[in-house]
Amino acid sequence: MSKDETLGEALRRQGITRRGFLKFCAATASMMALPPSMVPAIAAALEKAMRPSVIWLSFQECTGCTESLTRSHSPTVEGLIFDTISLDYHHTLQAASGSAAEAAREAAMEENYGKYILVVDGSIPTANPGYSTIAGISNKSMLLDTAKGAAAIVAVGTCAAYGGIPKAKPNPTGAVAVSDLIKDKPIINVSGCPPIPVVITGVLAHFLTFGTIPELDALGRPKAYYGQSIHDRCYRRPFYDKGLFANTFDDEGAKKGWCLYKLGCKGPTTYNACATTKWNEGTSFPIEAGHPCLGCSEPDFWDGGGFYKALSMPTEDITRAAVYAVGAGAAAGVALGAMNRAKKARAVKTHEKVTINDLEKGADDD
Ligand code: SF4
């Protein structure tokens, strides 16, 4: 693709129809919680957008984030957009290797200084610069150097966003998140293990369309995608509200698709879009496949795990159960019937931390 080619021209050259393009714009608007009336504006902006340079750095990671992005059944519009707008440097996807690859990174930085988007997956080891290097450069040095000319940084995956599995105790490499090292650039955390591809694309589309980063929550995640808990979007929620739970993975409740709370589901304390966006082109997501949510998009994933242990809330008396909070600013939406309505609405809106005492008081107030 020529550097002078607009995104619209490039997509047409790749065979994307106007209808397909508008469909993507409508889905993007909807995911960004924008009204349908914004679709023409989004389409017009994306049509004219020039090719932004994307430099993708992979540090302590498992390549799952890249796999997530590339594992589509067919070339999707969002996949093509992502391919089209990018990728001046990506270890896994680029053809160049060795010094040619590093030359590509340096050239992209120089040509697009102040304008390129830096995408990072993986955490950064700080205990010893030799723990992870690329072309003899430590991950930390490469991040600090490449971040200097970036317009914005997208921390893709929980490892880049919060440290993730490499940061799990005892954290032998001294793994840290991007935001622990970079303080002077806008950082968008697209957490998840792995993150949802359409969320990555949606964030980039937002940047292309509006020239700004999307509105973020207290944990640096785009609110449009992380504004609601899995529990609030879960199709098994009616079973939760009725107190109908699977107690084992193969009991009658499991077969009937009842709530997985007692099997350790972290949906009430996890904020992500997978319950609605799903995976494999909208086919399914873990809870739909019968597995409890592991909370992979939250900062305490992995150490906060206790993966198959139920959250510490009594489910026997479900009418008194309510929001149970974990982590910085993450309040969970659990059996909200026990809370008085004003408190409930405020907590959901602000991700306010709510304790069991609040709930009991709320129940009394009701
Ligand atoms: S606890 Fe888990 S399975 Fe049950 S309704 Fe909530 S998110 Fe769905």
Side-chain angles (χ1 to χ4, degrees), residues 229-241 244-245 257-262 264-270 275 285 287-288 291-293 311 333-335:
S229 69
I230 300 293
H231 190 63
D232 282 343
R233 306 179 193 219
C234 181
Y235 76 102
R236 295 191 191 226
R237 178 64 179 270
F239 295 115
Y240 178 92
D241 290 339
L244 296 172
F245 301 99
W258 289 355
C259 172
L260 303 172
Y261 180 87
K262 288 190 176 178
C265 185
K266 303 296 181 289
T269 55
T270 301
F285 74 115
I287 289 172
E288 199 167 342
H291 194 281
C293 167
L311 291 167
V334 183

Side-chain angles (χ1 to χ4, degrees), residues 150-203:
I153 301 174
V154 186
V156 164
T158 299
C159 296
Y162 307 126
I165 293 173
K167 196 181 173 187
K169 290 183 187 127
N171 189 5
T173 65
V176 298
V178 172
S179 58
D180 291 324
L181 295 173
I182 307 291
K183 304 290 182 189
D184 60 349
K185 296 281 173 184
I187 298 174
I188 308 153
N189 288 329
V190 180
S191 60
C193 188
I196 301 170
V198 76
V199 176
I200 302 171
T201 319
V203 167

